[in-house]
Amino acid sequence: KQEVTQIPAALSVPEGENLVLNCSFTDSAIYNLQWFRQDPGKGLTSLLLIQSSQREQTSGRLNASLDKSSGRSTLYIAASQPGDSATYLCALNYGGSQGNLIFGKGTKLSVKP
Amino acid sequence: EADIYQTPRYLVIGTGKKITLECSQTMGHDKMYWYQQDPGMELHLIHYSYGVNSTEKGDLSSESTVSRIRTEHFPLTLESARPSHTSQYLCASSPSPGELFFGEGSRLTVL
């Protein structure tokens, strides 16, 4: 059974630091992987989607990598800002065309001014 | 920009009431999903639909039901709400496998 783990559960950094959030999974047979951001009491905002054939995706200050063989994905945030404070979730599409996702519990990021 | 809307955003009701959480999307996506999320916990899939008149149960057992009469609407209904149903319910739609757009969520509290 596919399991998704995100470490650390919470992270606090000063503004301007570069940081890495980790996502690990137990079964490498994934279709794709998506990183989301969730603000308190809100829905999820999609950040980056990596297909299983890709190794990384970039959007602005965000870079997500995928290593299926080791069961890992990382989300790199450059030059962090207080507005980056949120919970970051990774989700695996294990269902292929069904598109059903399994989510990690998330990493709660706090960027201090 | 995703156009998917959920109402109500917040709902506090008494035990035994029937409630319907609405979800609408204007993107013409065939696939839609309902997830349940307890505070600090991961999302769990409770229902999904591949199109009109198609509904399936998700990985997490739920006493709720859904319907898909129109492409743009995917309402979720609880016939008799209980305190154990207190949670956040998130609706999503998908243009391609694994790519989801979420609504803002409906936070339900059952007293």
Side-chain angles (χ1 to χ4, degrees), chain B residues 11-19 79-83 85 108-111:
Chain B
L11 180 62
V12 181
I13 60 168
T15 296
K17 299 291 186 183
K18 177 180 178 179
I19 63 120
E79 290 292 334
S80 180
R82 295 203 301 270
H85 296 139
L108 172 66
T109 301
V110 184
L111 303 175

Side-chain angles (χ1 to χ4, degrees), chain A residues 26-82:
Chain A
T26 53
D27 187 344
S28 62
I30 65 171
Y31 195 79
N32 51 38
L33 181 148
Q34 195 167 5
W35 281 92
F36 293 90
R37 167 187 174 138
Q38 186 175 30
D39 292 289
K42 297 290 186 69
L44 278 66
T45 300
S46 177
L47 298 174
L48 290 163
L49 172 68
I50 310 177
Q51 301 295 340
S52 63
S53 58
Q54 297 175 319
R55 292 196 61 86
E56 65 178 315
Q57 282 283 344
T58 298
S59 176
R61 294 182 294 109
L62 305 180
N63 177 276
S65 68
L66 174 63
D67 185 345
K68 288 199 308 176
S69 62
S70 64
R72 290 190 61 203
S73 176
T74 60
L75 179 66
Y76 174 82
I77 302 177
S80 59
Q81 303 170 356

Side-chain angles (χ1 to χ4, degrees), chain B residues 9-94:
Chain B
R9 289 290 319 282
Y10 303 94
L11 180 62
V12 181
I13 60 168
T15 296
K17 299 291 186 183
K18 177 180 178 179
I19 63 120
T20 295
L21 304 180
E22 300 287 349
C23 177
S24 298
Q25 51 99 1
T26 59
M27 298 170 283
H29 295 164
D30 286 326
K31 293 179 182 173
M32 296 189 72
Y33 305 83
W34 276 103
Y35 285 85
Q36 184 174 341
Q37 183 185 33
D38 292 325
M41 301 298 288
E42 61 267 63
L43 281 74
H44 290 285
L45 180 66
I46 52 174
H47 298 283
Y48 59 99
S49 167
Y50 292 153
V52 172
N53 294 325
S54 155
T55 61
E56 301 285 344
K57 290 189 178 295
D59 305 321
L60 181 68
S61 176
S62 174
E63 294 169 342
S64 59
T65 59
V66 292
S67 63
R68 190 86 183 278
I69 298 173
R70 293 165 57 183
T71 298
E72 57 269 30
H73 293 152
F74 191 37
L76 181 146
T77 298
L78 278 165
E79 290 292 334
S80 180
R82 295 203 301 270
S84 61
H85 296 139
T86 294
S87 189
Q88 175 157 257
Y89 294 85
L90 292 160
C91 180
S93 70
S94 174

